[in-house]
Every structure is written in structure tokens, then in C-alpha cells.
Amino acid sequence: MPRGKLLTDEEKGKILAFAEEKLCLREIARRLQRSHNVVRNFLANQQNYGKNKKGGPKKKLSLRCERRIINYSSNSVKSISKMISDLNLNVSRSTVYRVLKRSKFIKCQKMRKAPKLQPRHIAARLEFGRHNISTDWHSVIFSDEKKFNLDGPDGNRHYWRDLRKNPVKFSKRNFGGGSVMVWGAFCSTKMLKLAFPSTKMNSAEYTTVLENHLLPFLHQNNHVQWTFQQDNAAIHTSRATKTWLTSHNIPLLQWPACSPDLNPIENVWGIIVRKVYAENHQYGNVEDLKNAIIKSWNEISDQVRKNLISSMGRRLFQVAEKRGGTTDY
């Protein structure tokens, strides 16, 4: 027989008042137009009234089936519908979803991007790790370029939707409304001054950036034998750039291709992106975006910088551990 509606707080108060007046249970029930049993149950156990829960319907999946679902979904890109089909389950998508949601080990997560590593890339990464196992990373200057759009980075944007209100929409201009190219470099002791070259920077412009931003730092800190790091972009490996570096006696760190995970400045860019575009912030003009980038760059703390430099040993260890594969960085 289905359970009746629980007593309201007002009805509970009336029952207690009538009980103090010494009315019998049937009279109280008659006045409230409720059953005799509900009045009796409330007075017999006031503290726990309404708290007892039924066991619920019998589970549709056995523990063995649930384990099959967990094992099958491990690091899988298959949809729930595909899982049901492949495992020949006679249950709904909601049932399988609840199994995955209850699991401590399976979480829905956005897949991180990583370069496609060919055998030659893997071999180069392993060689890089072996060659630099004893490198003093405190004397290395890490560098990179990053493009920022006025409307923010591509990707999913989330917010806490109030279903009582109209949905919030993210308006994006064509091609991001404009963009800024940034060159940055840092080392264990300093964040070098940022440069804002054109979005179509060539070798000549790149060497100008190095002339105006790298050389002044090297001259001011000539008591250290610095090594300069750059990736294998075409403007970095061109004959003009190599000639410029050689003419200024700047040692260059041999860098493996397709290895952004080994460059700690990628983590710096990640910090800046989160700050610059916090709460889905958009910019009306390039100058405001530049100022926000500079402010976030200058706010990188000494501790963050030191932690990133000290992470190089762990990155190389992971390269060896994963046999040249992509690291967690």
C-alpha cells in the first residue's frame, strides 16, 4: 500500500497541542482529517518521524556488470550508448551513467592536447633527457611565443546556469576580433621584458626581438654563462637566426621537436591565460589586452618561477619513465 503524505510542520504543532489537551488519537485525527495511524506514528517517535527511507527498487545491474562497465570505460572515448551495445546490456543510458558517476576512478574529463609523436621525436626526446640529466637549469633562459585573442582562447566556457533566468550567451566576434603576438622569456632569477611582435613575425623581426629583449639581460647578467632555449619553429632555426646567435656568442640548448611539455614557459602562459581571461573577460582593443598580459606576466612570483625551473628534473624523469612519450606537464 502506498505511503501517505507526511505531516506538515503546522499539522505536527496541532497534534502536539491537541495531545496536551488530552484528546484521544481518533479525535485528533478527525480534527486534522488525517488517519489515526499517522497521528499515532508521529506521537510515538517524534524525533525520527519521516526520516525512515525505503530501500528503493532492486538494482538493475549486478556488481559483476558494474565492474565490466568500469573496466570497459577506463580511458575510453566511447559513448554510453556504444558501451551498452558493445557489452550487450539491457538497461538505459541513465543506469550506466549512474554507475560511472558513482565510481571513484572514472571521471568525465576534457582530453588534453598533445603533439603527435613520431618515432624520431620519441628518440630525440630520450636523447635530450640522457644528454641533460646533469644540466644546471638555473642557467637556462626559456623562451616562447604565444598568440592572444581579444575574445579569449577557443574552447568550452562554463557558468552556473540559473534555470529561473534567461541563459547567458558568450558573444564572439569573427576571428576573435583581433589578436596579439607575445614573445616572452624567463629564467631562475627574472622574468624578461615582454615583446609584442607582429602576428606574422619573420626571422628579421625575431632577431630584432632578441636584440632588444634578450641581449640587454645577458649584458646586465654577464657573470653567469647563460644558455638560451627556443623551440624548432622555422624562424628560430633559420640561417639568419643561427648566424645572429653565433655572432653574439649565445649558447643554444638543443631542443627536441614536438616537446612543449618540456618547456616550463608553457605553464607560465597557462597561468597568464587564466588571469587575463578570468570570468570569460573580453577586450575591446589590443592596447587593453597588452596591458593585461604585461600585468599578469609581472605578477608571476619568484616561488612560481623557481618551482618551474626545479620541475625540469622531474620532466626528464617522466620522459625516461614513459619511454619518450608525452609527460604530465
Side-chain angles (χ1 to χ4, degrees):
M1 186 173 180
R3 183 177 183 177
K5 186 174 66 173
L6 292 174
L7 293 168
T8 65
D9 290 340
E10 182 181 356
E11 288 175 323
K12 293 176 186 177
K14 288 181 179 180
I15 291 173
L16 294 174
F18 290 148
E20 288 184 2
E21 295 177 9
K22 307 299 183 182
L23 295 180
C24 68
L25 296 181
R26 294 191 181 280
E27 179 60 20
I28 296 174
R30 186 187 66 78
R31 293 192 181 190
L32 291 178
Q33 295 184 344
R34 298 299 296 263
S35 72
H36 171 269
N37 286 336
V38 74
V39 175
R40 182 185 61 191
N41 291 339
F42 170 68
L43 290 174
N45 192 4
Q46 298 176 30
Q47 298 297 324
N48 295 317
Y49 173 78
K51 294 182 180 179
N52 295 331
K53 296 181 179 178
K54 292 188 176 181
K58 184 179 178 181
K59 294 178 69 173
K60 296 181 180 179
L61 291 170
S62 65
L63 290 177
R64 181 181 178 185
C65 284
E66 290 191 1
R67 286 195 295 269
R68 286 178 63 206
I69 292 172
I70 298 300
N71 292 335
Y72 193 72
S73 65
S74 176
N75 276 3
S76 171
V77 296
K78 294 183 182 295
S79 66
I80 291 180
S81 298
K82 182 64 173 172
M83 291 182 197
I84 293 173
S85 174
D86 291 350
L87 296 174
N88 196 25
L89 300 174
N90 187 26
V91 294
S92 67
R93 294 179 70 258
S94 298
T95 299
V96 176
Y97 174 76
R98 286 193 293 270
V99 172
L100 297 174
K101 189 174 177 64
R102 287 195 302 268
S103 172
K104 297 183 297 182
F105 309 107
I106 305 298
K107 301 297 177 187
C108 184
Q109 182 174 306
K110 185 177 179 180
M111 192 178 295
R112 293 174 58 189
K113 294 180 180 179
K116 178 70 174 178
L117 295 177
Q118 303 294 339
R120 66 179 184 278
H121 300 141
I122 294 174
R125 286 164 62 88
L126 288 170
E127 177 60 27
F128 177 80
R130 286 191 291 267
H131 184 74
N132 289 283
I133 195 68
S134 59
T135 295
D136 179 11
W137 298 106
H138 293 86
S139 61
V140 175
I141 302 172
F142 294 94
S143 72
D144 192 24
E145 294 87 26
K146 174 76 174 175
K147 187 179 179 181
F148 290 80
N149 294 323
L150 292 178
D151 283 341
D154 296 329
N156 296 327
R157 291 174 172 83
H158 302 83
Y159 74 104
W160 296 107
R161 167 77 191 280
D162 188 336
L163 296 177
R164 300 167 297 179
K165 300 179 181 179
N166 291 330
V168 177
K169 296 181 180 179
F170 180 81
S171 299
K172 188 168 183 178
R173 293 162 286 196
N174 290 335
F175 310 107
S179 59
V180 170
M181 181 66 75
V182 185
W183 175 91
F186 85 104
C187 61
S188 60
T189 60
K190 187 179 179 62
M191 306 294 292
L192 276 65
K193 185 178 178 181
L194 291 176
F196 293 92
S198 68
T199 55
K200 296 182 179 180
M201 180 169 55
N202 56 23
S203 299
E205 189 175 4
Y206 178 62
T207 54
T208 300
V209 167
L210 299 181
E211 184 88 36
N212 296 330
H213 294 78
L214 177 62
L215 274 188
F217 172 81
L218 295 177
H219 292 159
Q220 293 169 9
N221 299 271
N222 55 14
H223 58 284
V224 177
Q225 182 59 49
W226 297 101
T227 300
F228 182 59
Q229 179 275 337
Q230 59 179 7
D231 62 25
N232 294 290
I235 59 172
H236 298 166
T237 59
S238 68
R239 181 180 300 177
T241 299
K242 288 181 177 179
T243 300
W244 186 91
L245 290 169
T246 301
S247 65
H248 289 86
N249 297 317
I250 299 176
L252 192 63
L253 182 67
Q254 296 301 312
W255 194 254
C258 299
S259 299
D261 57 323
L262 300 182
N263 192 349
I265 200 170
E266 295 290 346
N267 302 92
V268 175
W269 292 137
I271 294 171
I272 292 176
V273 165
R274 289 191 291 273
K275 287 185 177 182
V276 169
Y277 299 117
E279 300 178 359
N280 286 332
H281 188 78
Q282 295 172 281
Y283 294 86
N285 57 71
V286 167
E287 201 59 37
D288 288 345
L289 176 57
K290 285 183 178 180
N291 291 334
I293 295 170
I294 293 172
K295 181 176 183 296
S296 299
W297 177 266
N298 292 334
E299 288 175 351
I300 299 294
S301 67
D302 293 345
Q303 190 59 53
V304 169
R305 193 174 62 246
K306 291 176 181 177
N307 289 343
L308 290 175
I309 294 295
S310 65
S311 72
M312 285 303 299
R314 296 189 296 274
R315 294 174 197 247
L316 296 187
F317 176 78
Q318 277 201 18
V319 168
E321 187 180 42
K322 298 189 177 187
R323 299 180 180 179
T326 305
T327 69
D328 296 333
Y329 291 88

